[in-house]
Amino acid sequence: MNITASTAWKAIEAHRLSSSPVHLREMFARDPGRANALSLSFDGILFDFSKQRIDSTTLPLLTALAREARLAEWTDRMFAGERINASEDRAVLHVALRRSAGPFPAGNLDVMSEVLATRQRMAAFADTIRSGNALGFTGMPIRNVVNIGIGGSDLGPKMVGYALRSMSHPALGVHYVSNLDGAQLAPLLQTLDPRTTLFLVASKTFTTQETMLNAQTARDWLVANLGDAAAVANHFAALTAKPERAVEFGIRPDAVFPLWDWVGGRFSLWSAVGLALMIAIGPHAFADLLAGAQRMDEHFRSTPYERNLPVVMALIGIWNTNFLGATSNAVLPYNESLKYFPSFLQQLEMESNGKSVGIDGQPLACAANPIVWGELGNNGQHAFFQLLHQGGRLVPCDFIAAVRSDYPLPGHQEALLANCFAQSAALAFGKTVDEARSELSRTLQPAALAELLPHKVFPGNQPSSTLLLSRLDPHTLGALVALYEHKVFVQGVIWGLNSFDQWGVELGKAVANSILPAITNAALAEKLDVSTQQLLAFSRQHLA
Ligand code: F6P
């Protein structure tokens, strides 16, 4: 369906046109109850969206849009295990991975026995390593674990592993390698002892070029150093939906942990792909992470749209993108431990909804996902926030902070929170000409004041939401990630696209394969475009 032709869409458009643009400053002045009215909380997460450019009539109009897009029907279809990923003919059941019991989704289509059995095997494997009972080829205990994967087989466990590093096993090193550039793997190998290192090859397809090349190099390094190809059996495990390919690689069948075609890569953190994370934080903390996500799943399924965190978050995104014209969305964690959250979200959102063709194969009638970008907020303040404050662009922001810290240095947490709250307030309310003039008049003569005045005005009205967590523990983090996952799903439904395929990444892979032989063989470059030929010629010259 063309959502822009729907009654709800037209009503929202009419609402936007009829309500004269009111500055956030004025919206707050008019309604002292605004912060409370435009906030939701759930399981230790406060979601304050009062600094978005909406009024009390906007949200009901947006929820009508969700209804008209048949969100409830699509949600039921996803949770029922229907093959809603049409272009890949797959079900979308990552929510099953958070559950602790079956049957699910239904008696005749129960995936839970496999899910629970795999989780149990993962826990046993993780415990053996954590206890020092997992021995390498020479009889020494495993002390370092290297996850080799990319995209969804890297970003999720790495992001959560860093977020929860305060609870990491103290005697184990857990590392992540994703990049084809040897500058990531080579220096890491220099620090590792092959006798005590375990490699986890994380790849749903077990064909991804980056992962397979890194895994092969790690294998060669191991065999060269331990002097026996049989060592691979003690030092490699695989997390994959293609177990036969892992076994072919030389990995013991009992060290292969499955996932299934109904788990999308960017939703696979909760599956065997989370093994490195489970080894780091332990099966109990991993179970808490799953429990937090499952709570969000239940909230998403059972809460009326007006009070439903993922739905409201998604609808605000639709409002900003499709009605206010925002083209990007900044993710700004005021929490060092969420350092990798922006890049995790980039894959989750842009690989899911970065599309312009609908699920029906027709061009979308409206823009879909904005560009997601971001950085630790406090660092960003001293880098790119200038543009957010005075650059004249509409950039909705997600501020994320946790009240309690795992690293409570005196005064740090208070200052961090103050900065987070100050930035969203400054972006929303700005500084008027009158305020700036009255400030400057205390120290400047009229001529100097007039010169400086335009530079000291902050237009404000920059919309943001703040997600304030009581603390960043496994449960709350699980809920936070599931919140964004469902937000992505809701937006995909409204835009009418398939959030679960990613055909757009294929072309570059195919072109890379055709260019690879021409890096060393000039004759093979002749059919390529002249720019690529020039790049290849320069490379050959310097490689030589
Ligand atoms: O190229 C994109 C992608 O397919 C992602 O969707 C996926 O997370 C990543 O590559 C890694 O894929 P795999 O787990 O199969 O190695």
Side-chain angles (χ1 to χ4, degrees):
M1 95 188 257
N2 173 3
I3 193 70
T4 63
S6 67
T7 315
W9 187 283
K10 287 180 184 153
I12 300 168
E13 188 55 23
H15 160 72
R16 185 185 69 82
L17 292 169
S18 67
S19 46
S20 58
V22 182
H23 197 285
L24 278 167
R25 187 182 263 260
E26 205 180 322
M27 290 194 195
F28 273 83
R30 279 184 197 170
D31 177 9
R34 182 177 170 88
N36 185 42
L38 299 180
S39 293
L40 296 171
S41 57
F42 180 74
D43 265 17
I45 302 178
L46 172 65
F47 174 42
D48 179 343
F49 51 97
S50 60
K51 297 192 193 86
Q52 295 288 346
R53 291 193 206 164
I54 56 174
D55 64 27
S56 58
T57 56
T58 318
L59 206 50
L61 292 169
L62 288 165
T63 53
L65 183 69
R67 284 187 194 92
E68 201 155 345
R70 304 203 313 268
L71 175 61
E73 194 183 305
W74 279 100
T75 307
D76 286 347
R77 291 180 64 191
M78 175 168 78
F79 277 81
E82 275 190 42
R83 294 174 173 264
I84 60 167
N85 175 358
S87 71
E88 295 181 338
D89 191 24
R90 289 175 184 163
V92 177
L93 279 175
H94 50 274
V95 290
L97 299 165
R98 286 81 105 122
R99 299 178 75 92
S100 50
F104 183 83
N108 58 348
L109 178 64
D110 181 21
V111 299
M112 289 312 296
S113 48
E114 283 180 288
V115 168
L116 296 176
T118 304
R119 203 184 297 156
Q120 228 166 36
R121 280 184 58 215
M122 287 167 64
F125 191 83
D127 278 337
T128 318
I129 293 171
R130 289 169 63 81
S131 62
N133 290 327
L135 303 183
F137 186 63
T138 66
M140 290 173 71
I142 295 297
R143 278 291 161 254
N144 279 287
V145 176
V146 183
N147 186 85
I148 299 178
I150 196 164
S153 298
D154 168 69
L155 291 165
K158 182 172 74 179
M159 181 275 286
V160 178
Y162 190 73
L164 302 178
R165 69 199 180 291
S166 67
M167 51 177 62
S168 263
H169 192 294
L172 287 173
V174 179
H175 317 270
Y176 291 86
V177 172
S178 56
N179 205 331
L180 263 182
D181 188 344
Q184 191 180 23
L185 180 58
L188 175 64
L189 291 179
Q190 279 170 13
T191 68
L192 297 174
D193 180 342
R195 295 169 303 177
T196 60
T197 300
L198 172 74
F199 294 97
L200 304 179
V201 186
S203 177
K204 184 179 166 187
T205 55
F206 226 78
T207 53
T208 304
Q209 185 193 32
E210 292 86 342
T211 301
M212 297 327 295
L213 192 52
N214 279 324
Q216 190 58 49
T217 301
R219 190 185 196 278
D220 293 346
W221 172 83
L222 185 94
V223 172
N225 280 283
L226 297 186
D228 194 335
V232 172
N234 298 63
H235 292 269
F236 274 83
L239 328 170
T240 183
K242 299 287 178 197
E244 63 292 348
R245 291 183 192 157
V247 172
E248 220 171 277
F249 182 89
I251 298 177
R252 279 197 335 236
D254 65 344
V256 178
F257 296 86
L259 54 146
W260 305 276
D261 70 352
W262 45 261
V263 187
R266 49 195 175 273
F267 303 90
S268 65
L269 146 71
W270 327 94
S271 72
V273 166
L275 184 58
L277 170 65
M278 189 193 269
I279 292 170
I281 64 174
H284 287 297
F286 193 85
D288 287 346
L289 182 83
L290 299 184
Q294 205 209 339
R295 287 271 306 157
M296 187 56 75
D297 296 341
E298 284 161 13
H299 167 83
F300 172 55
R301 279 210 84 183
S302 61
T303 310
Y305 290 165
E306 292 74 12
R307 313 288 308 155
N308 190 313
L309 267 78
V311 172
V312 171
M313 201 183 202
L315 292 174
I316 287 170
I318 300 271
W319 169 251
N320 285 333
T321 302
N322 298 113
F323 296 93
L324 300 188
T327 55
S328 88
N329 188 56
V331 182
L332 307 166
Y334 276 72
N335 187 306
E336 168 66 28
S337 299
L338 289 175
K339 175 162 100 167
Y340 296 118
F341 197 62
S343 42
F344 170 78
L345 274 192
Q346 284 183 317
Q347 188 199 17
L348 180 63
E349 296 211 21
M350 294 201 279
E351 197 167 73
S352 298
N353 289 342
K355 293 162 191 172
S356 50
V357 169
I359 198 161
D360 54 4
Q362 298 302 312
L364 294 181
C366 60
N369 219 88
I371 297 159
V372 177
W373 62 287
E375 169 61 275
L376 290 173
N378 192 222
N379 292 344
Q381 274 176 231
H382 300 273
F384 55 79
F385 270 48
Q386 164 63 38
L387 181 146
L388 300 180
H389 285 290
Q390 292 184 314
R393 290 175 193 274
L394 175 64
V395 185
C397 305
D398 288 6
F399 286 88
I400 307 173
V403 177
R404 284 162 64 193
S405 171
D406 292 331
Y407 303 94
L409 293 179
H412 283 245
Q413 193 61 10
E414 293 79 356
L416 183 67
L417 291 172
N419 270 281
C420 176
F421 305 157
Q423 287 298 328
S424 66
L427 286 169
F429 307 128
K431 189 187 282 179
T432 63
V433 178
D434 287 346
E435 285 168 342
R437 184 182 294 111
S438 114
E439 264 180 34
L440 292 175
S441 64
R442 287 186 218 128
T443 50
L444 294 182
Q445 295 305 314
L449 185 151
E451 204 173 306
L452 198 51
L453 186 60
H455 304 285
K456 294 291 220 173
V457 174
F458 289 71
N461 215 21
Q462 190 76 283
S464 72
S465 298
T466 299
L467 283 160
L468 191 55
L469 318 182
S470 54
R471 65 176 302 171
L472 191 65
D473 57 19
H475 187 100
T476 316
L477 184 55
L480 179 73
V481 176
L483 164 61
Y484 274 95
E485 284 182 351
H486 293 312
K487 169 204 159 179
V488 163
F489 170 70
V490 173
Q491 293 187 330
V493 168
I494 292 175
W495 285 320
L497 53 80
N498 178 0
S499 300
F500 303 105
D501 61 11
Q502 56 286 314
W503 298 106
V505 299
E506 295 303 325
L507 177 62
K509 292 184 194 174
V511 177
N513 286 335
S514 69
I515 290 177
L516 181 60
I519 298 263
T520 46
N521 186 344
L524 297 174
E526 277 162 19
K527 291 210 173 96
L528 300 170
D529 67 88
V530 288
S531 167
T532 306
Q533 284 190 37
Q534 174 174 264
L535 298 170
L536 284 165
F538 185 88
S539 304
R540 270 193 304 275
Q541 189 188 339
H542 289 275
L543 278 170

